[in-house]
Amino acid sequence: MLLYRAPLRLVLILPFVLQIVIAVSITGWLSYRNGEQAVNDLAAQLRGEVVARIRQHLDTELATPHLINRTNLELIRTGELKTDDFAALGTHFWHQLQTFKSTNTVFFGNPQGRFIAAQRLDDNSLIFIKRELPPAEAKVYNASTQGKLAAFKSVISNFIDVRKRPWYKAASIRRTPTWGNIFALQIRPSIDLPASTPVLNSNRDLQGVIGNNLALGTISEFLYSLKVGQSGQTFILERNGELVASSTAPQPFLIGKDGKTKRMTVATSNNAVLQTATDYLLKQFSNLKGINTTKQLRFLIDRKPYFIEVFPYQDQWGLDWLIVVVVPESDFMGQIHANTRTTIVLCIGALVIATYFGIMTTRWLTRPLLQLNYAAKEIAQGNFQQTITADRIREVKELASSFNQMTLQLQKSFTQMRSLNQALLESESRVKQFLEALPVGVAVHNQAGHLTYVNRIGQRLLNINQLPNTEKWNLIDTFQQYRAGTSQPYPLEDLPAMRALRGETVQTEDIEIHRDNRVISLEVWATPIFDEQEQIAYAIAAFQDISNRKQTEAQLIYNALHDALTDLPNRNLLMERLELTINRAKRVDGYHFAVLFMDLDRFKVINDSLGHLVGDRLLISFAHKLQESIRSTDLAARLGGDEFVLVLEEIKGIQEAVKTAERIFAELQSPLVLEEHEVFITTSIGIVWGTKDYEQVSDLIRDADIAMYRAKAQGRARYEIFNAQMHTQAMKRLHLENDLRKALERQEFLVYYQPIIMLNNGQLVGFEALIRWQHPTRGLVAPGEFLTVAEETGLIVSIDSWMLHTACQQLAAWQRAFSNTALKISVNLSARDFLGIHLLDEVEQALVKAGLNSSCLTLEITESMLLDNVEDTIKLVASLRERGVQISIDDFGTGYSSLSYLHRLPIDFLKIDHSFVSNMQVSDKNYKIVSTIVTLSNQLGLEVIAEGIETLQQIEQLQRLGCKFGQGYFLSRPLPPQAAEALLMRNTFL
């Protein structure tokens, strides 16, 4: 009713003004909401892309330490690296630090506490840290330019035993590759993440732990290089709140007043954004361990809104981190707020202007309504360029003015809307620019699976210039996608993008593109993109060409399965092939195979005389001959050193294996020309007939090895076919060897003493010490049964050392008990003793410890020992003689002739072998040999001892020949110490 009494000016102005205010407000509000939503979507997409880049970088960066460990482990398994050769290990680690710049340290520790490491310093120089057996000190050495240990630098005090370090314990307990705990370095300001791998032998016994430290500063540097909005920040946290990396702290650690490096936590970071974001997450999830999926949240810092995205990162080796991306909302909403303020100002201005022109319009109210109607229709058609001419009537004039103002304001409003839409398009363009700048291909699929976007790198990899107009089921044929290593087209439903549209997050390396006779291997990551209703709107896939990496991996696998020198399959590939062969023999009736185990004869002689380079070429030539002697279906492998193995498959009988061996012998009849030298080489071959009865590959190799050694024992350059008797003999020898080792530990050896007398008066002058073995089950074992095995295994050195000390101490005791300082003892030495470098020291220690005069000790050596390293033997014998020790040549006349060196040797006695003495009465030839030896000794000024005297007639013959000393069963058998003491009391025999 109030409007009925109001003036026409008010009736016309009020509705018009209200219309303008409402229209502009709605327009401004819609513009604000649309802009805000677009910015939120852009912010979420940007955060997701940042997280994806961080994850991709972490996948690449964290794979490097385990790749280094796998490489080193394979080198150790193949024998190219020796865990006890710390100098070679250090050099190898030095080369790896030169290659991998993000690695601070490469190290190895063994169960005995020995430790070697190559480490990078702040100035990028390299040092070595080495510790021998605890409690030895850990020493620091400079590294030479060739990666060798150079000058000693310092000692690390309070060095923690490697066996107590977390990375060592973790690897030794889990027995798998693993991460250690992040720790702060003290030798340089840094925090490192150790990756360690146990080194296990074939019995899975721990031989040590090998590992390396990743410098986490490189991850912070990567985060710092990422730009998240204008002031966004990224962090990587451990579940306990300790900082791993930060975009705001290139070195995420603290250095205390004492100069020590400490881990940085959220509380000590002095970063308000990080602290507030972490507190918010703790309030939302109680603790950081409760975050198991990607979270996108919004919170306030100082009443300012922030976006936060948290992404759990885990890997196959046990790593469990949180990636946190924090972006201020103001980075994206600044323009929206500015537009809002402008809209409010425009609304106020529009209201003022509308009121003013409304008043003016009332003056021309009488203008023809048709003009107003026509103008209204034009505006309805979208033609805003309409002007109403004001009439003299105030109300009509005001109405015309208001109408004109309305058209102007609508035009401005729609212009603003077009501007906002243009801003949104520009935002979308920036996202595309970001995607175009990525170093990997990116493809986006819509909900229906259609390809909607591919960036520049992706177009190059897919060989397209523009998006193909194709349905999703034609994607496989369009881009020629196949399963890796096959000619099978990749199933559409298994494509990473299709799986992402089903809600999966996918990472795979099993896709190949076949194009122009070229195969491109792809690594693909795909993840779904959700809209505001948490529905899958798109799938985004990132992909890159990993062909070079695949080729490198294939080469590494090839190198791990082939011998570096001959390019033949190595032990690893041989074992795999034999495993398959055994399984096939069990599955297929009538399937037979053979294994030929070969060892080159006299290879060491060639190596020592012509050099290792010629030896290597000989091995290569032999490998070629092996390959020429077998079929393409057979396998030739090198086990190591000069040992080779052939696997002959699908053969009908053992004769085929024999023919192959004979072909090899025939090939070796002709000399090999190596470095202008003609070299003749032979080989001994052990043959095993393979049947389904074999269960283990090791049994095959063992039996072939036994047969090969039987061939060597039968004269070399021949083959032997394995039979059960060989295995029985080998087991008997193995048990004997094991019992010998235990005998040393249990002190089961005894020394028996055989008297040596003067033949002219029967006076006792000394004893020969002889070894006996008191076996716990077999009783007293004669030396002939075990000395050969002891010699071959090297146990003879320990046995001779014990016998030397025991005999010297016993003689000293008898000299004191019977006041006979002229009494002497003879001890036999083996060739192994002469090869050692401690013989002189061993003899001196035995004499000093027993308090025995050196002239009372006689060392007996055989003739054959004189022919090996003649000059060195003469020097060693001379050194013993200079110390007063007497030397006797044992079993003279039975070995290789040493007459050419006899006059040069500083010896005291010749012992005539018992085979000549015991047969003097039977054969005149033996009598003459004994006579000749006695005459030769007299001419050289040497004393003669006759062994093996068994009759009185032999004593009389020896006396007539002038032989001064003798020993044998006729005089006395070898006696235990108590029985020998009884003879000492008697002191005479004849």
Side-chain angles (χ1 to χ4, degrees), residues 38 61 69 152 225 246 322 398 411 416 536 554 635 660 739 788 791 806 857-858 873-874 886:
E61 194 75 10
N69 287 345
F152 170 76
S225 67
S246 168
L322 291 177
E398 289 176 353
Q411 185 176 0
Q416 288 178 356
I536 297 175
L635 177 73
T660 301
D739 289 348
T788 301
E791 181 84 27
T806 302
L857 175 63
T858 299
T873 301
I874 292 175
Q886 295 185 322

Side-chain angles (χ1 to χ4, degrees), residues 284-416:
Q284 293 292 317
F285 303 101
S286 299
N287 58 65
L288 297 180
K289 295 181 180 179
I291 304 174
N292 298 315
T293 59
T294 302
K295 304 293 181 182
Q296 296 181 346
L297 307 168
R298 189 172 182 269
F299 71 108
L300 299 178
I301 299 179
D302 296 333
R303 297 183 179 180
K304 296 179 181 180
Y306 279 71
F307 296 114
I308 180 172
E309 180 156 342
V310 185
F311 177 82
Y313 179 83
Q314 299 171 337
D315 71 358
Q316 60 180 314
W317 299 289
L319 214 58
D320 190 6
W321 291 346
L322 291 177
I323 301 173
V324 183
V325 180
V326 182
V327 186
E329 187 180 78
S330 60
D331 283 5
F332 305 96
M333 296 298 293
Q335 184 62 41
I336 300 300
H337 292 318
N339 291 341
T340 302
R341 290 191 294 270
T342 301
T343 303
I344 293 173
V345 171
L346 290 175
C347 288
I348 295 173
L351 179 61
V352 172
I353 295 172
T355 303
Y356 172 76
F357 282 101
I359 296 173
M360 297 299 294
T361 304
T362 57
R363 298 176 182 178
W364 305 99
L365 189 60
T366 57
R367 296 186 69 174
L369 292 178
L370 289 176
Q371 183 182 3
L372 183 60
N373 185 47
Y374 175 79
K377 290 180 179 179
E378 289 294 318
I379 291 174
Q381 295 297 322
N383 185 4
F384 296 100
Q385 304 297 326
Q386 300 297 318
T387 303
I388 302 301
T389 303
D391 198 87
R392 294 181 180 181
I393 301 174
R394 185 184 66 179
E395 287 81 4
V396 175
K397 184 177 181 179
E398 289 176 353
L399 180 59
S401 177
S402 298
F403 187 85
N404 291 336
Q405 183 61 35
M406 181 187 68
T407 60
L408 178 62
Q409 190 60 41
L410 287 173
Q411 185 176 0
K412 289 182 178 180
S413 296
F414 278 98
T415 301
Q416 288 178 356

Side-chain angles (χ1 to χ4, degrees), residues 763-899:
Q763 183 179 354
L764 177 65
V765 296
F767 294 93
E768 180 180 0
L770 301 171
I771 190 73
R772 295 293 185 271
W773 180 10
Q774 187 64 49
H775 195 278
T777 58
R778 297 172 56 190
L780 196 64
V781 181
E785 295 187 40
F786 65 85
L787 282 184
T788 301
V789 176
E791 181 84 27
E792 292 176 359
T793 59
L795 293 173
I796 192 67
V797 176
S798 299
I799 295 174
D800 286 350
S801 174
W802 172 84
M803 187 172 177
L804 177 64
H805 283 77
T806 302
C808 288
Q809 291 174 3
Q810 182 63 71
L811 181 64
W814 284 340
Q815 286 183 346
R816 290 190 298 270
F818 297 99
S819 301
N820 186 357
T821 58
L823 196 64
K824 297 183 179 182
I825 192 75
S826 295
V827 179
N828 292 278
L829 294 181
S830 71
R832 290 267 189 171
D833 296 319
F834 266 63
L835 293 175
I837 59 174
H838 303 296
L839 179 60
L840 292 176
D841 295 337
E842 193 76 34
V843 171
E844 288 185 353
Q845 290 176 9
L847 292 172
V848 171
K849 188 174 181 180
L852 189 66
N853 191 294
S854 60
S855 62
C856 296
L857 175 63
T858 299
L859 297 179
E860 297 188 7
I861 61 177
T862 62
E863 284 186 278
S864 59
M865 293 167 57
L866 301 176
L867 298 181
D868 296 329
N869 300 317
V870 175
E871 298 301 327
D872 292 340
T873 301
I874 292 175
K875 291 179 182 178
L876 183 57
V877 170
S879 297
L880 290 168
R881 287 291 288 115
E882 289 174 359
R883 288 163 172 76
V885 178
Q886 295 185 322
I887 305 298
S888 173
I889 295 181
D890 195 15
D891 301 333
F892 187 77
T894 61
Y896 296 100
S897 174
S898 59
L899 297 179

Side-chain angles (χ1 to χ4, degrees), residues 584-845:
R584 186 177 181 186
K586 293 182 179 300
R587 294 194 313 269
V588 181
D589 291 336
Y591 174 81
H592 296 289
F593 63 96
V595 176
L596 282 69
F597 194 114
M598 287 164 283
D599 184 272
L600 299 183
D601 301 326
R602 298 174 55 255
F603 177 71
K604 184 177 183 302
V605 175
I606 296 173
N607 237 7
D608 294 341
S609 59
L610 300 180
H612 290 279
L613 181 60
V614 174
D616 288 347
R617 293 191 177 181
L618 172 60
L619 294 175
I620 294 172
S621 298
F622 183 73
H624 290 165
K625 289 184 177 295
L626 286 183
Q627 290 177 310
E628 294 171 357
S629 302
I630 61 177
R631 303 166 300 176
S632 60
T633 57
D634 300 329
L635 177 73
R638 182 189 179 202
L639 282 186
D642 58 342
E643 293 181 339
F644 296 83
V645 172
L646 294 183
V647 180
L648 308 180
E649 295 198 56
E650 294 187 7
I651 59 175
K652 298 179 180 179
I654 193 65
Q655 286 304 318
E656 292 189 36
V658 171
K659 289 180 180 179
T660 301
E662 290 174 347
R663 282 199 303 272
I664 295 171
F665 291 145
E667 285 286 339
L668 297 178
Q669 291 297 316
S670 302
L672 301 175
V673 179
L674 305 172
E675 295 289 330
E676 300 181 355
H677 296 282
E678 282 194 352
V679 177
F680 286 90
I681 191 71
T682 60
T683 183
S684 299
I685 304 177
I687 303 175
V688 169
W689 176 242
T691 66
K692 63 181 179 181
D693 296 330
Y694 277 99
E695 297 289 342
Q696 301 292 331
V697 173
S698 57
D699 294 341
L700 268 174
I701 298 296
R702 177 202 64 202
D703 293 347
D705 190 36
I706 291 173
M708 183 274 292
Y709 274 105
R710 172 61 64 88
K712 280 191 176 291
Q714 295 297 324
R716 302 180 180 180
R718 57 180 292 154
Y719 65 84
E720 287 289 336
I721 301 173
F722 176 80
N723 55 47
Q725 184 180 2
M726 290 184 185
H727 182 250
T728 302
Q729 293 174 350
M731 292 302 298
K732 181 178 180 181
R733 175 190 170 90
L734 177 63
H735 292 155
L736 179 61
E737 181 180 334
N738 291 336
D739 289 348
L740 273 176
R741 296 184 187 278
K742 294 176 183 177
L744 279 171
E745 299 172 1
R746 299 171 181 173
Q747 297 183 349
E748 295 174 358
F749 290 110
L750 304 173
V751 180
Y752 273 44
Y753 300 90
Q754 185 172 36
I756 300 175
I757 66 168
M758 293 186 67
L759 295 179
N760 58 353
N761 57 16
Q763 183 179 354
L764 177 65
V765 296
F767 294 93
E768 180 180 0
L770 301 171
I771 190 73
R772 295 293 185 271
W773 180 10
Q774 187 64 49
H775 195 278
T777 58
R778 297 172 56 190
L780 196 64
V781 181
E785 295 187 40
F786 65 85
L787 282 184
T788 301
V789 176
E791 181 84 27
E792 292 176 359
T793 59
L795 293 173
I796 192 67
V797 176
S798 299
I799 295 174
D800 286 350
S801 174
W802 172 84
M803 187 172 177
L804 177 64
H805 283 77
T806 302
C808 288
Q809 291 174 3
Q810 182 63 71
L811 181 64
W814 284 340
Q815 286 183 346
R816 290 190 298 270
F818 297 99
S819 301
N820 186 357
T821 58
L823 196 64
K824 297 183 179 182
I825 192 75
S826 295
V827 179
N828 292 278
L829 294 181
S830 71
R832 290 267 189 171
D833 296 319
F834 266 63
L835 293 175
I837 59 174
H838 303 296
L839 179 60
L840 292 176
D841 295 337
E842 193 76 34
V843 171
E844 288 185 353
Q845 290 176 9

